[in-house]
Amino acid sequence: HYVEITASVPTGGRPQVEMMMAVWSPGSYLVREFSRHVEAFTARGPDGRTLDVDRSRKNRWMITTGGAPAVTVAYRVYSREMGVRTNWVESRFAMLNGAPTFITLAESAPRAHEVTLAMPRDWKQVLTGLPEVSGRPHVFSAPDFDTLVDSPIVAGNPELHEFSIDGKRHYFVNTPATETFDGPRAAKDLERLVEQHRRMWGFLPYDKYFFLNMITEGGGGLEHKNSMMVMTNRWTTRTRKAYVAWLELVSHEFFHAWNVKRLRPMELGPFDYEKEVYTRSLWIAEGFTDYYGELLVHRAGLSTRDEYLEALSNQIEALQTTPGRLVQSAEMASYDAWIKYYRPDENAANSSISYYTKGAVIAFLLDAKIRTATGGVKGLDDVMRAAYQKYSGARGYTPDQFREVTEQVSGLDLRSFWHTVVEGTGELDYQEALEAFGLRFSPGGTSAADKPGKAWLGTTTRNDNGRLVVTQVLRGSPGYEAGINVDDEILAIDEYRVRADRLANRLEQYKADDRVTLLVARREQLVRLPVTLGAEPSQKWRLEIHPSADETQKRRLSAWLQ
């Protein structure tokens, strides 16, 4: 599980040079301490003599050069963390990301990098967004360290599919190759999806693009300027629900080729790879991307209208059933990403929200507001294109500048909307958006399991070797009001034993407003807690077409979805 790296480092004749490794990866806002996987760091002069190396920081190495014009650095990186921002090396393939792999000079001046891969003899291909060096197999160049970090590398014997749009090559890479994932079908659908994204934006912003699909039973994705890396299950194409979810993930990461990698908050570039970079705009960068990721799958004809409304309903439900929506704003969720989003605990749902989720819901509300105000002439699509034209250059936008672009496109004064919805923590008003498109929240839910009156406790639990242990208690829920604690072991309801795998079944025997007594063990002491059961809140947030929708609403709905 190791990658071994040798680097020729120019020194400019300086007596000492300092080298640095990134501590985080752009697009994933958590300090991950990549240097913890580095081993056996050494440096040698042109004559092969070993040079002195001092560890100057957790992620820096100071080399005494003796005035040599260049030194040779060698080290190895343990690579067995299966994630879109980490490394994995095994006998069949290697998956390398820039931040956890490459150590470079600790200086701010841009410097070109050249990378050569030496692979096992039976590995045939290297796939990466890095430019190839002509006439030199498996040799790639990067004009600067930012490009190197932004270009993951996959090596081995992957399944490769290609297609062209606007004369630009697109490579769909499945690694490791497997017959259980329908690559030809997925490649065909990706072509339709790329065409839809191009239609929305009006152009493709790259010369070539790589879809790096790691078939590793994992999940998640990470965007790059001319590539993406996503994790998937080998059985994804076998079921409709899993496949549509995969298409939505890929669509999300692909939308980032415009939104984030080029149109970006001003703080997200150029990057400081050694400390946190704070922004209040991830609700735009990630949340709007989530909104369009699902919407463009539908516009491409790859999901049905009901499937899209279900996806949007899930976003709304996730927000509205998170008590933290009344505590943390969209802006602060963005700013606190470094300490909250990637480090959730048992109280996270009570104290915070996802900027992905609230950002997607804000995008929906804003899209509806613009379409209503302009008689359907403009929408959020126009805002994104206008913002790209104005702020996709070297500087990026501030939150106020993005609002101003939205106001210019829509003709609306959005300061109150921004204050309430973006900066505030009050409940959102969905009525305008519902009326715009002739929608409603389904009265009574969508299935028998969601029927009105179903009893709800407001806790999550785990089966701990036969013990039914509470892992989370939602603020405002019946369990919260009754005083249930995280780590309580639920033993009985109304003096009848509850087995660890039977809580849901037991609650089905009750209805909302029933009063029961829970017997719990709390740090080995038995405690009885009176509880008034509540109604499942999720049943309130399922979108459907309103039976009384008029022709104007139907036309607006059709224009939005198509």
Side-chain angles (χ1 to χ4, degrees), residues 474-543:
L474 293 179
R475 179 181 284 125
S477 68
Y480 185 94
E481 298 301 330
I484 297 175
N485 287 190
V486 168
D487 289 334
D488 282 354
E489 179 188 357
I490 299 176
L491 300 172
I493 299 177
D494 284 342
E495 304 302 316
Y496 288 94
R497 185 83 165 91
V498 180
R499 298 192 181 278
D501 59 348
R502 302 294 288 172
L503 178 61
N505 177 268
R506 181 65 60 83
L507 289 175
E508 288 177 359
Q509 314 311 313
Y510 298 91
K511 60 182 184 298
D513 296 327
D514 280 352
R515 298 188 178 192
V516 300
T517 299
L518 262 63
L519 176 64
V520 305
R522 179 176 299 165
R523 295 189 303 278
E524 310 306 323
Q525 182 179 3
L526 297 181
V527 179
R528 284 180 169 80
L529 299 171
V531 183
T532 300
L533 297 172
E536 185 96 41
S538 62
Q539 63 186 270
K540 301 177 182 178
W541 308 107
R542 315 316 295 172
L543 290 169

